[in-house]
Amino acid sequence: MGEDKQQTDIAVGVLALQGGFSEHISHLKQCATRLLETNEVDSILNFKIVEVRTASEIESLDGLIFPGGETTAMSILLEKNNRELLGALQNFAKVRPVFGTCAGLIMLANAIEGQMKMGQLKIGGIDITVRRNAYGGQLQSFEAPLNMMEPEILDSAATAMVFIRAPCIETVDSDKVKVLATYKNKPVAVRQNNLIGISFHPELTESLEWHLYFMRIIISEKLAKK
């Protein structure tokens, strides 16, 4: 008789200090179910979806989402009240997959225009320049389809994405950055190595394509290390 395959844990976290983390949690759980039910991944994979609030919770993660929210509140919560967690996030983003949406995109950008007077929380890692609230304030929120540049997530072209106080990617500052999608000829989704940053909120739609794209990256990297 052959040996049983050993179970492999895939742990994906969502920074849960502030902002729309619960919607991301829901999407990730739906993605895990779909991947298993469609047999896209081996049943030996055991998905763990984690709300992250402390540095110790990051240690066992294979991927992490920085959700949208208030960059001012995040700055206070991390820079003033939890420097240990901030350091853990910075170290994690250097080596593991991270997906930043809206405010999360700002955190991952290497350059920021329109920074807060007190300074701007930044993890960095993507060679782009972003501008805060470039698509308007809360009252100017809108939904719009994207021009998809990445074949793996083309299904998202049929789904209007939600922009809420969204940052704009003003410039792509390195050829290391891959543009995944545009809106009105401006990049709104980019990837550089292990980091993905987008201006919009896929977690506020029924589409799972962006989260599936991220989870497939995590799974591929985890299995490549086994």
Side-chain angles (χ1 to χ4, degrees):
M1 296 179 63
E3 295 184 359
D4 292 336
K5 294 182 180 180
Q6 187 175 3
Q7 188 177 61
T8 300
D9 289 337
I10 303 289
V12 187
V14 181
L15 186 62
L17 297 179
Q18 190 269 341
F21 59 86
S22 61
E23 290 88 351
H24 283 289
I25 292 288
S26 175
H27 269 49
L28 289 172
K29 289 180 178 178
Q30 291 178 68
C31 287
T33 299
R34 178 182 291 187
L35 290 169
L36 291 168
E37 288 183 346
T38 59
N39 296 316
E40 181 177 333
V41 298
D42 198 307
S43 60
I44 64 168
L45 296 185
N46 178 44
F47 292 98
K48 296 182 177 180
I49 311 301
V50 183
E51 293 184 7
V52 175
R53 295 182 177 88
T54 65
S56 61
E57 291 170 324
I58 293 177
E59 296 174 3
S60 61
L61 294 181
D62 299 299
L64 180 61
I65 290 179
F66 294 167
E70 282 285 344
T71 50
T72 303
M74 288 186 183
S75 293
I76 294 172
L77 289 169
L78 287 170
E79 293 186 311
K80 293 187 176 181
N81 300 335
N82 202 333
R83 299 288 299 182
E84 182 182 7
L85 176 57
L86 176 58
L89 293 173
Q90 292 170 328
N91 290 332
F92 188 92
K94 293 176 182 177
V95 294
R96 300 283 179 85
V98 175
F99 181 20
T101 66
C102 197
L105 166 68
I106 297 172
M107 291 171 66
L108 291 175
N110 282 341
I112 304 167
E113 294 183 356
Q115 294 192 37
M116 298 177 298
K117 292 181 179 179
M118 69 180 71
Q120 182 71 54
L121 172 66
K122 185 170 70 173
I123 302 295
I126 303 181
D127 293 324
I128 53 175
T129 299
V130 301
R131 181 159 53 92
R132 298 173 65 241
N133 301 331
Y135 289 104
Q138 192 78 22
L139 294 178
Q140 286 76 46
S141 300
F142 64 95
E143 297 183 20
L146 309 178
N147 178 28
M148 302 301 299
M149 315 294 286
E150 173 53 66
E152 292 183 47
I153 41 181
L154 273 177
D155 287 350
S156 292
T159 304
M161 288 294 152
V162 180
F163 290 73
I164 303 173
R165 298 179 63 188
C168 174
I169 300 173
E170 293 285 7
T171 59
V172 173
D173 303 324
S174 167
D175 58 10
K176 297 178 182 178
V177 179
K178 182 178 183 179
V179 176
L180 304 177
T182 63
Y183 169 68
K184 291 188 175 180
N185 298 319
K186 278 279 193 179
V188 290
V190 293
R191 177 180 177 184
Q192 182 171 347
N193 300 322
N194 58 304
L195 305 177
I196 301 169
I198 65 176
S199 297
F200 48 91
H201 292 269
E203 79 281 5
L204 298 181
T205 74
E206 294 183 358
S207 172
L208 298 178
E209 298 305 320
W210 286 95
H211 291 79
L212 284 169
Y213 176 67
F214 182 54
M215 289 189 74
R216 287 168 181 141
I217 292 170
I218 296 170
I219 293 166
S220 177
E221 291 200 4
K222 181 65 177 279
L223 296 182
K225 294 176 182 178
K226 288 183 65 65

